[in-house]
Amino acid sequence: MRELTVQNLSKAAFAPFGVVIDAADAVPEMINDGTTRRHADLASLDIRGVPGDGDPRIHLYVASARRFPLRLANLERHRRASQVFVPLNGQRFIVVVAPGGPAPEWERIEAFLSAPGQAISLHRDCWHHGLIALQDGDRFAVIEGGSYRLDTQELAAPEEIMLVAPGLE
C-alpha cells in the first residue's frame, strides 16, 4: 500500500496540472460605482472541444464529505476540455492530480488542500481524482465542456493508494 499526504495548494506546485484561481495577489479594479472589486483575468477557459461537442456547461455539484484515510481507486481525465471547480461557500477541498499521457504516472500522483476561497481550473487532459469535499453539502460551480460525459476516461489504480490528510482525519 502506498500513502499519499496532502500538501497546501499553491500556484507554483499546481502549475503542471492547472491554474489556481485566487485573488489574493491580484490588484482589483473598482467597478459598479465603486461598490465592487473586480479581480480580472485570474484564469482562462479551455472548454471548447471539437465541433459537435456542444456549448460549454455550468453545473452545480453538491458533495458528500470524504473520510480519511481515503482509498484512491482511480483517476480520470477529459481530453477535449478543461474543468473548473469553484467552491460556492469559500470552503476548502482536496484535489488529487497526476501527470501522464495515455495513463497516469501513478508514482507522481500529488494531493493538494485548497485555502478558503481558492478555486482551480484543471488543464485539458490532466489526470485527476473525482471531487474530494470535506463537509457534507459542500457546493461547487463546475464549468466544463459540453461533451463531458463522452470525454471522461477513467483508469483504475495499479496498487492501493491511501490519501491521508493530517488534521482532517
Side-chain angles (χ1 to χ4, degrees):
M1 177 185 68
R2 183 163 163 229
E3 191 172 275
L4 177 64
T5 303
V6 174
Q7 61 186 298
N8 288 331
L9 180 63
S10 71
K11 290 181 180 184
F14 194 70
F17 311 106
V19 175
V20 175
I21 303 169
D22 189 347
D25 299 327
V27 177
E29 168 191 4
M30 295 305 294
I31 61 170
N32 297 333
D33 299 319
T35 63
T36 306
R37 289 181 207 81
R38 179 177 186 248
H39 299 270
D41 304 322
L42 298 177
S44 61
L45 298 176
D46 181 15
I47 53 178
R48 284 267 181 215
V50 297
D53 275 355
D55 291 331
R57 304 283 185 221
I58 299 174
H59 309 285
L60 174 66
Y61 287 16
V62 180
S64 296
R66 303 288 186 125
R67 304 290 178 237
F68 302 97
L70 174 66
R71 182 176 174 271
L72 303 176
N74 58 46
L75 293 180
E76 65 182 55
R77 70 175 177 168
H78 314 288
R79 289 167 285 166
R80 296 178 356 199
S82 61
Q83 193 175 36
V84 178
F85 291 86
V86 180
L88 295 179
N89 297 319
Q91 74 270 16
R92 300 181 309 160
F93 62 100
I94 293 175
V95 58
V96 173
V97 290
E105 293 179 33
W106 294 100
E107 67 282 358
R108 295 181 55 203
I109 193 169
E110 295 188 58
F112 298 95
L113 173 64
S114 71
Q118 286 181 323
I120 61 159
S121 175
L122 293 167
H123 289 319
R124 174 189 298 241
D125 214 25
C126 175
W127 287 101
H128 62 281
H129 191 274
L131 180 61
I132 302 175
L134 302 178
Q135 301 293 321
D136 284 333
D138 279 354
R139 297 160 54 97
F140 295 82
V142 179
I143 304 165
E144 55 199 4
S147 66
Y148 171 76
R149 294 208 183 278
L150 299 173
D151 187 36
T152 301
Q153 178 187 6
E154 290 187 28
L155 287 179
E159 65 179 330
E160 187 169 285
I161 301 171
M162 296 301 288
L163 176 64
V164 294
L168 300 175
E169 298 174 335

